[in-house]
């Protein structure tokens, strides 16, 4: 019997207590043992270190916002608070950690900042080593200023890539002992609202999910200088869908053959096949998320399942995944977690 532990970040504006944990029982093909794992305010985005020893969460604490570090017991799933680094203003919306646990990065939508932290030997966070405040705007009414939405290392960890939804820009930073220095910036389609970015597991290709235009932008990546070049743009929506939609999460299968993109409004996950020669995408199918406003989803460690979180209907949904076709099949949609946002598995 194989069981995998996962965590859900939430908004705590309603009944949520903070971070929730669950177990995926792959034999029973069910999500079980849903419970509160850590009480904190608005832990909307989480990341787990590659060695499964630490979990980092965005957090709101009074009038401050920042990042909390937790020690993670991968056997029991128990979380123990190590410390919090917070500053005045709204909390970040994204957090990531480097492979050696030495660098943690956050992106702040409201403040337009990217913050870089070094960690202590116990995994706790040192005060920010670098805070970059971004400026700019875009043509959409929601792009009145910079809205940083993502910041994480490139696969070789030579650069940090940061995505600005507010000004349709993708930044590349060099990182030296936590200090960030800008090396490149790419402007994408005005008003598209780039939100999250993922790198192909094998190709020198990156994929950007846009929130406003509901598209995936395919980019070639030059690892020598950290620059990007646009190759393709493909919609995540059916051509006849005209209602409000906001693109959400984007994730890969590690064989590099399929990419998955979330639609809030159409309430679906769009499945794309990847051309392994040039990285371009072709549409496979839409799968309903059986709820409202799918904010995130995650492939489990076996990649035979996907767990999605519907923020507005407060439910988790379990799908099985066909590894040959990439297609999803609904297994379970009645798992209650209040105001879920982010889903992460212990690796």
């Amino acid at each position: 019997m194989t069981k995998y532990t996962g965590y859900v970040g939430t908004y705590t504006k309603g009944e949520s207590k903070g971070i929730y944990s669950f177990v995926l029982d792959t034999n029973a093909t069910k999500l079980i043992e849903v419970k509160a794992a850590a009480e904190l305010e608005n832990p909307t985005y989480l990341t787990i270190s590659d060695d499964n020893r630490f979990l980092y969460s965005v957090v709101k604490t009074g009038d401050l916002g920042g990042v909390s570090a937790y020690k993670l017991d991968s056997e029991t799933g128990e979380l123990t608070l190590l410390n919090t680094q917070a500053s005045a203003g709204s909390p970040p919306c994204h957090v990531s950690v480097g492979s050696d646990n030495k660098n943690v990065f956050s992106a702040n939508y409201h403040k337009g900042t990217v913050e870089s932290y070094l960690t202590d030997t116990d995994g706790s966070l040192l005060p920010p080593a670098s805070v970059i405040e971004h400026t700019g705007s875009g043509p959409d009414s929601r792009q009145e200023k910079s809205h940083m939405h993502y910041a994480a290392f490139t696969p070789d960890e030579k650069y940090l890539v940061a995505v600005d939804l507010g000004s349709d820009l993708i930044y590349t930073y060099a990182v030296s002992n936590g200090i960030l220095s800008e090396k490149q910036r790419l402007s994408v389609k005005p008003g598209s609202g780039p939100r999250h970015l993922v790198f192909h597991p094998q190709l020198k290709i990156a994929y950007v999910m846009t929130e406003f235009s509901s598209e995936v932008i395919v980019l070639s990546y030059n690892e020598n200088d950290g620059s990007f070049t646009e190759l393709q743009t493909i919609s995540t929506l059916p051509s006849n869908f005209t209602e409000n939609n906001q693109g959400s999460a984007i994730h890969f299968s590690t064989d590099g053959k399929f990419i998955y993109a979330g639609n809030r409004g159409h309430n679906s996950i769009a499945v794309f096949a990847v051309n392994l020669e040039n990285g371009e995408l072709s549409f496979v199918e839409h799968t309903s998320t059986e709820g409202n406003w799918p904010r995130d989803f995650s492939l489990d460690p076996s990649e035979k399942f996907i767990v999605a979180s519907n923020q507005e209907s407060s439910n988790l949904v379990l799908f099985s995944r066909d590894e040959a076709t990439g297609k999803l099949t609904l297994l379970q949609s009645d798992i209650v977690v209040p105001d879920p946002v982010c889903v992460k598995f212990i690796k």
Side-chain angles (χ1 to χ4, degrees), residues 17-326:
K17 303 291 186 189
I19 299 172
Y20 285 75
S21 64
F22 64 87
V23 172
L24 167 59
D25 184 329
T26 61
N27 281 39
T29 62
K30 281 186 176 181
L31 300 181
I32 58 175
E33 298 176 27
V34 178
K35 61 185 179 184
E39 292 198 16
L40 69 166
E41 192 173 353
N42 283 357
T44 55
Y45 205 87
L46 321 169
T47 191
I48 296 172
S49 62
D50 283 357
D51 60 9
N52 295 324
R53 293 173 59 207
F54 306 107
L55 180 148
Y56 297 95
S57 172
V58 305
V59 64
K60 182 177 186 293
T61 171
D63 294 330
L64 307 179
V67 179
S68 289
Y70 286 86
K71 183 180 179 182
L72 191 162
D73 186 323
S74 58
E75 295 297 316
T76 65
E78 185 178 346
L79 299 177
T80 304
L81 180 65
L82 294 171
N83 77 325
T84 297
Q85 292 288 351
S87 60
S90 298
C93 65
H94 186 271
V95 62
S96 66
V97 60
S99 62
D100 60 5
N101 302 342
K102 292 180 180 176
N103 297 89
V104 172
F105 305 101
S106 69
N108 195 303
Y109 177 92
H110 294 283
K111 293 160 73 171
T113 56
V114 169
E115 300 197 8
S116 168
Y117 305 86
L118 296 174
T119 60
D120 214 334
T121 52
D122 65 349
S124 62
L125 294 161
L126 299 174
S130 199
V131 179
I132 306 293
E133 190 167 336
H134 299 79
T135 59
S137 60
D140 192 280
S141 61
R142 295 164 288 184
Q143 293 179 306
E144 78 290 357
K145 63 173 186 173
S146 170
H147 291 303
M148 303 308 296
H149 215 303
Y150 167 95
F153 267 136
T154 55
D156 59 8
E157 302 199 345
K158 185 177 176 182
Y159 298 107
L160 177 80
V161 178
V163 177
D164 187 350
L165 180 146
S167 57
D168 302 309
L169 286 169
I170 296 165
Y171 293 88
T172 305
Y173 290 97
V175 186
S176 177
N177 201 33
I179 304 299
L180 305 180
S181 54
E182 184 181 333
K183 294 299 179 185
Q184 305 282 351
R185 64 172 70 180
L186 173 72
S187 293
V188 296
K189 185 168 81 174
S192 59
R195 175 185 170 90
H196 275 199
L197 179 148
V198 290
F199 282 91
H200 192 276
Q202 292 87 33
L203 305 174
K204 302 295 189 292
I205 302 284
Y207 301 81
V208 178
M209 182 70 187
T210 68
E211 180 167 322
F212 300 154
S213 64
S214 302
E215 293 169 314
V216 178
I217 303 172
V218 183
L219 307 173
S220 65
Y221 170 61
N222 184 330
E223 59 186 351
N224 295 318
D225 64 5
S227 63
F228 294 94
T229 306
E230 285 193 46
L231 298 177
Q232 179 195 20
T233 300
I234 187 169
S235 177
T236 64
L237 292 170
S239 57
N240 61 353
F241 185 82
T242 57
E243 296 169 45
N244 173 51
N245 189 77
Q246 296 179 25
S248 58
I250 184 166
H251 297 292
F252 249 112
S253 58
T254 53
D255 62 9
K257 293 179 179 178
F258 299 100
I259 198 165
Y260 298 86
N263 287 309
R264 296 174 293 178
H266 187 246
N267 294 337
S268 65
I269 295 174
V271 184
F272 298 95
V274 181
N275 181 323
L276 296 179
E277 295 294 318
N278 60 19
E280 293 190 355
L281 302 181
S282 56
F283 175 73
V284 175
E285 69 167 2
H286 289 109
T287 299
S288 169
T289 59
E290 305 294 325
N292 189 17
W293 218 245
R295 186 70 175 260
D296 194 18
F297 54 89
S298 182
L299 283 75
D300 80 302
S302 75
E303 301 202 347
K304 295 178 180 176
F305 302 91
I306 280 183
V307 176
S309 57
N310 288 303
Q311 181 186 329
E312 297 300 329
S313 51
S314 292
N315 65 313
L316 300 185
V317 184
L318 177 64
F319 301 94
S320 62
R321 190 181 81 89
D322 187 314
E323 293 169 279
T325 66

